Amino acid sequence: MRQSLVVGNWKMNGSIQSNQSLLEALKAGMSTVKNSEVAVCPPFIYLQQVSEILKDTAIGWGGQTLSEQDSGAFTGEVSANMLLDFHSKYVIVGHSERRSLYAESDQLVAEKFAKAQAAGLIPILCVGELLEQREAGETENVVKRQLDAVVNSQGIAALSNSVIAYEPVWAIGTGKTASPAQAQDVHAFIRQQIAAQDVNVAEKVQILYGGSVKANNAAELFAMQDIDGGLIGGASLQAEDFLTICQAG
Ligand code: PEP
């Protein structure tokens, strides 16, 4: 039985004041979350604040991306060790917004994954197809290519210390959610791909669904056999909604 995990991706949202009230409300509501691990990924600049408010709670935190470099002349970048300085547990790699808006290639995503893992962070590897790729029947090929970029460079065992998030790009921030059956099909496909190389890793790895998960659809998505929780954007900014989603895990 895999542990359910719900991660909030705040994207470029928040302020010192709004973070404080959101996190205090989450802390207060955590006693209602029985089955899920919970984490939030704020903008880097708020990691100190988040780590102070959440220390000694069951809620973890992490970055939304990281540099594939260790240190040096890389203006604007943040390294794995910097995330660890603030006791981050997780880091998202290969989010579709990073892939599309910041031209992150499969290879770069694999390098970031490797850097995160080598430092002791748990990478949350995002994969998912564009609408036109789904319509062209390319979903499985796209997801396999994105997964293979990591597996071929890091080996299948690397996935056992990671989380995978299936996020169909057409569902992210659009209010269009994949149906539970659509999501389950792709999650099962991902698990089969991994099982073809290592059954134990396939059984163990958490595969989250992301893409317009809301308080009113989380339970039916998370009830599917191969969906082990969610990566939540917009709804993670509202304490009540996020807690309802966490309760569904
Ligand atoms: C995301 O940012 O990973 C995401 C799934 O966003 P949303 O929940 O807003 O669709």
Side-chain angles (χ1 to χ4, degrees):
M1 182 73 176
R2 286 174 297 272
Q3 169 72 52
S4 168
L5 170 66
V6 178
V7 179
N9 172 16
W10 290 4
K11 312 196 190 197
M12 197 172 72
N13 292 296
S15 66
I16 289 180
Q17 210 178 358
S18 66
N19 301 343
Q20 170 95 31
S21 32
L22 174 58
L23 293 169
E24 293 299 345
L26 292 183
K27 267 166 60 168
M30 274 302 283
S31 60
T32 64
V33 177
K34 303 290 180 214
N35 299 318
S36 268
E37 270 178 41
V38 177
V40 294
C41 294
F44 294 137
I45 191 83
Y46 296 127
L47 276 170
Q48 163 114 32
Q49 181 196 17
V50 169
S51 66
E52 279 169 8
I53 297 176
L54 294 184
K55 72 171 187 292
D56 303 326
T57 74
I59 308 173
W61 58 89
Q64 297 175 9
T65 182
L66 80 165
S67 174
E68 74 284 10
Q69 306 289 344
D70 288 324
S71 65
F74 302 102
T75 302
E77 293 290 274
V78 167
S79 71
N81 283 334
M82 292 173 186
L83 292 175
L84 284 174
D85 262 349
F86 295 96
H87 307 289
S88 299
K89 180 171 182 185
Y90 297 101
V91 62
I92 300 170
V93 294
H95 190 281
S96 69
E97 286 152 20
R98 300 296 314 175
R99 291 179 190 263
S100 67
L101 302 174
Y102 302 97
E104 291 193 3
S105 64
D106 290 341
Q107 196 206 322
L108 180 62
V109 172
E111 285 172 33
K112 291 184 176 211
F113 181 103
K115 199 55 83 174
Q117 209 164 46
L121 293 160
I122 299 176
I124 301 174
L125 171 67
C126 299
V127 298
E129 80 289 0
L130 303 168
L131 182 59
E132 54 268 34
Q133 292 169 326
R134 172 163 283 264
E135 286 173 350
E138 287 295 312
T139 298
E140 291 188 351
N141 288 344
V142 171
V143 166
K144 179 168 165 29
R145 191 199 72 222
Q146 293 170 333
L147 198 62
D148 282 352
V150 170
V151 172
N152 293 343
S153 64
Q154 301 311 306
I156 195 74
L159 291 184
S160 63
N161 251 337
S162 76
V163 174
I164 297 170
Y166 168 58
E167 299 206 304
V169 180
W170 48 271
I172 297 178
T174 59
K176 285 185 208 155
T177 318
S179 69
Q182 277 175 323
Q184 165 60 25
D185 281 352
V186 182
H187 282 235
F189 171 76
I190 291 170
R191 212 177 293 285
Q192 279 156 17
Q193 291 301 305
I194 299 169
Q197 295 192 50
D198 191 318
V199 178
N200 292 329
V201 174
E203 269 309 301
K204 184 176 168 218
V205 69
Q206 291 158 310
I207 308 179
L208 312 184
Y209 169 77
S212 297
V213 177
K214 304 291 176 204
N216 63 5
N217 60 22
E220 56 178 6
L221 285 159
F222 298 170
M224 304 307 284
Q225 193 185 346
D226 289 294
I227 300 183
D228 306 314
L231 181 55
I232 318 300
S236 71
L237 300 171
Q238 304 296 331
E240 206 180 314
D241 289 357
F242 190 57
L243 284 167
T244 304
I245 293 169
C246 294
Q247 287 157 10

